[in-house]
mmCIF file of all heavy atoms in Angstrom:
data_model
loop_
_atom_site.group_PDB
_atom_site.id
_atom_site.type_symbol
_atom_site.label_atom_id
_atom_site.label_comp_id
_atom_site.label_asym_id
_atom_site.label_seq_id
_atom_site.Cartn_x
_atom_site.Cartn_y
_atom_site.Cartn_z
ATOM 1 N N ILE A 82 17.705 9.720 17.436
ATOM 2 C CA ILE A 82 16.664 8.764 16.897
ATOM 3 C C ILE A 82 16.463 8.970 15.441
ATOM 4 O O ILE A 82 16.359 8.026 14.591
ATOM 5 C CB ILE A 82 15.303 8.793 17.647
ATOM 6 C CG1 ILE A 82 15.605 8.420 19.117
ATOM 7 C CG2 ILE A 82 14.291 7.839 17.036
ATOM 8 C CD1 ILE A 82 14.476 8.764 20.032
ATOM 9 N N GLN A 83 16.400 10.325 15.066
ATOM 10 C CA GLN A 83 16.152 10.703 13.674
ATOM 11 C C GLN A 83 17.313 10.101 12.814
ATOM 12 O O GLN A 83 17.109 9.612 11.764
ATOM 13 C CB GLN A 83 16.122 12.187 13.548
ATOM 14 C CG GLN A 83 15.993 12.683 12.150
ATOM 15 C CD GLN A 83 15.994 14.243 12.107
ATOM 16 O OE1 GLN A 83 15.010 14.825 12.516
ATOM 17 N NE2 GLN A 83 17.116 14.796 11.589
ATOM 18 N N LEU A 84 18.579 10.207 13.338
ATOM 19 C CA LEU A 84 19.730 9.698 12.590
ATOM 20 C C LEU A 84 19.607 8.179 12.439
ATOM 21 O O LEU A 84 19.926 7.575 11.356
ATOM 22 C CB LEU A 84 21.025 10.054 13.278
ATOM 23 C CG LEU A 84 21.411 11.565 13.255
ATOM 24 C CD1 LEU A 84 22.628 11.733 14.054
ATOM 25 C CD2 LEU A 84 21.520 12.038 11.872
ATOM 26 N N MET A 85 19.197 7.498 13.505
ATOM 27 C CA MET A 85 18.955 6.053 13.446
ATOM 28 C C MET A 85 17.955 5.675 12.404
ATOM 29 O O MET A 85 18.177 4.762 11.597
ATOM 30 C CB MET A 85 18.485 5.483 14.784
ATOM 31 C CG MET A 85 19.449 5.494 15.914
ATOM 32 S SD MET A 85 18.555 4.915 17.409
ATOM 33 C CE MET A 85 19.565 5.579 18.723
ATOM 34 N N TYR A 86 16.812 6.405 12.363
ATOM 35 C CA TYR A 86 15.737 6.158 11.465
ATOM 36 C C TYR A 86 16.168 6.434 10.027
ATOM 37 O O TYR A 86 15.937 5.626 9.165
ATOM 38 C CB TYR A 86 14.572 7.088 11.835
ATOM 39 C CG TYR A 86 13.354 6.986 10.821
ATOM 40 C CD1 TYR A 86 12.724 5.782 10.691
ATOM 41 C CD2 TYR A 86 13.018 8.121 10.152
ATOM 42 C CE1 TYR A 86 11.644 5.746 9.809
ATOM 43 C CE2 TYR A 86 11.947 8.090 9.283
ATOM 44 C CZ TYR A 86 11.221 6.923 9.086
ATOM 45 O OH TYR A 86 10.175 6.848 8.252
ATOM 46 N N LEU A 87 16.782 7.614 9.759
ATOM 47 C CA LEU A 87 17.087 7.938 8.366
ATOM 48 C C LEU A 87 18.230 7.048 7.784
ATOM 49 O O LEU A 87 18.164 6.730 6.635
ATOM 50 C CB LEU A 87 17.503 9.406 8.296
ATOM 51 C CG LEU A 87 16.355 10.432 8.503
ATOM 52 C CD1 LEU A 87 16.868 11.834 8.513
ATOM 53 C CD2 LEU A 87 15.269 10.223 7.457
ATOM 54 N N GLU A 88 19.144 6.558 8.638
ATOM 55 C CA GLU A 88 20.164 5.759 8.216
ATOM 56 C C GLU A 88 19.888 4.252 8.342
ATOM 57 O O GLU A 88 20.676 3.465 7.959
ATOM 58 C CB GLU A 88 21.482 6.167 8.863
ATOM 59 C CG GLU A 88 21.947 7.566 8.559
ATOM 60 C CD GLU A 88 23.221 7.923 9.223
ATOM 61 O OE1 GLU A 88 23.976 7.019 9.640
ATOM 62 O OE2 GLU A 88 23.532 9.148 9.310
ATOM 63 N N ASP A 89 18.725 3.977 8.983
ATOM 64 C CA ASP A 89 18.319 2.598 9.315
ATOM 65 C C ASP A 89 19.472 1.818 9.917
ATOM 66 O O ASP A 89 19.824 0.725 9.546
ATOM 67 C CB ASP A 89 17.801 1.910 8.020
ATOM 68 C CG ASP A 89 17.038 0.622 8.337
ATOM 69 O OD1 ASP A 89 16.579 0.524 9.521
ATOM 70 O OD2 ASP A 89 16.969 -0.257 7.524
ATOM 71 N N ASP A 90 20.102 2.545 10.967
ATOM 72 C CA ASP A 90 21.244 1.937 11.567
ATOM 73 C C ASP A 90 21.314 2.361 13.055
ATOM 74 O O ASP A 90 21.709 3.445 13.353
ATOM 75 C CB ASP A 90 22.576 2.376 10.936
ATOM 76 C CG ASP A 90 23.777 1.641 11.377
ATOM 77 O OD1 ASP A 90 23.657 0.868 12.281
ATOM 78 O OD2 ASP A 90 24.859 1.900 10.782
ATOM 79 N N ILE A 91 20.709 1.497 13.926
ATOM 80 C CA ILE A 91 20.714 1.835 15.322
ATOM 81 C C ILE A 91 22.163 1.777 15.967
ATOM 82 O O ILE A 91 22.506 2.651 16.741
ATOM 83 C CB ILE A 91 19.834 0.834 16.064
ATOM 84 C CG1 ILE A 91 18.376 1.016 15.613
ATOM 85 C CG2 ILE A 91 19.944 0.921 17.620
ATOM 86 C CD1 ILE A 91 17.394 -0.047 16.084
ATOM 87 N N GLU A 92 22.901 0.864 15.518
ATOM 88 C CA GLU A 92 24.218 0.618 16.067
ATOM 89 C C GLU A 92 25.161 1.874 15.954
ATOM 90 O O GLU A 92 25.970 2.205 16.840
ATOM 91 C CB GLU A 92 24.973 -0.624 15.491
ATOM 92 C CG GLU A 92 24.314 -1.923 15.827
ATOM 93 C CD GLU A 92 24.311 -2.129 17.344
ATOM 94 O OE1 GLU A 92 25.302 -1.937 18.011
ATOM 95 O OE2 GLU A 92 23.241 -2.524 17.853
ATOM 96 N N LYS A 93 25.055 2.568 14.873
ATOM 97 C CA LYS A 93 25.863 3.730 14.575
ATOM 98 C C LYS A 93 25.763 4.859 15.607
ATOM 99 O O LYS A 93 26.737 5.577 15.892
ATOM 100 C CB LYS A 93 25.517 4.208 13.171
ATOM 101 C CG LYS A 93 26.534 5.224 12.572
ATOM 102 C CD LYS A 93 26.187 5.521 11.133
ATOM 103 C CE LYS A 93 27.263 6.470 10.521
ATOM 104 N NZ LYS A 93 26.909 6.691 9.114
ATOM 105 N N VAL A 94 24.586 5.060 16.141
ATOM 106 C CA VAL A 94 24.299 6.111 17.054
ATOM 107 C C VAL A 94 23.987 5.694 18.457
ATOM 108 O O VAL A 94 23.826 6.487 19.335
ATOM 109 C CB VAL A 94 23.136 6.999 16.483
ATOM 110 C CG1 VAL A 94 22.852 8.238 17.299
ATOM 111 C CG2 VAL A 94 23.342 7.360 15.034
ATOM 112 N N LYS A 95 23.934 4.345 18.642
ATOM 113 C CA LYS A 95 23.407 3.801 19.914
ATOM 114 C C LYS A 95 24.166 4.342 21.144
ATOM 115 O O LYS A 95 23.538 4.749 22.075
ATOM 116 C CB LYS A 95 23.507 2.328 19.869
ATOM 117 C CG LYS A 95 22.973 1.599 21.082
ATOM 118 C CD LYS A 95 22.765 0.101 20.926
ATOM 119 C CE LYS A 95 24.140 -0.537 21.090
ATOM 120 N NZ LYS A 95 24.015 -2.055 21.048
#
Side-chain angles (χ1 to χ4, degrees):
I82 299 166
Q83 177 183 290
L84 292 176
M85 290 179 202
Y86 174 65
L87 290 174
E88 296 182 19
D89 195 23
D90 188 356
I91 294 171
E92 292 301 315
K93 191 172 184 179
V94 186
K95 184 170 78 173

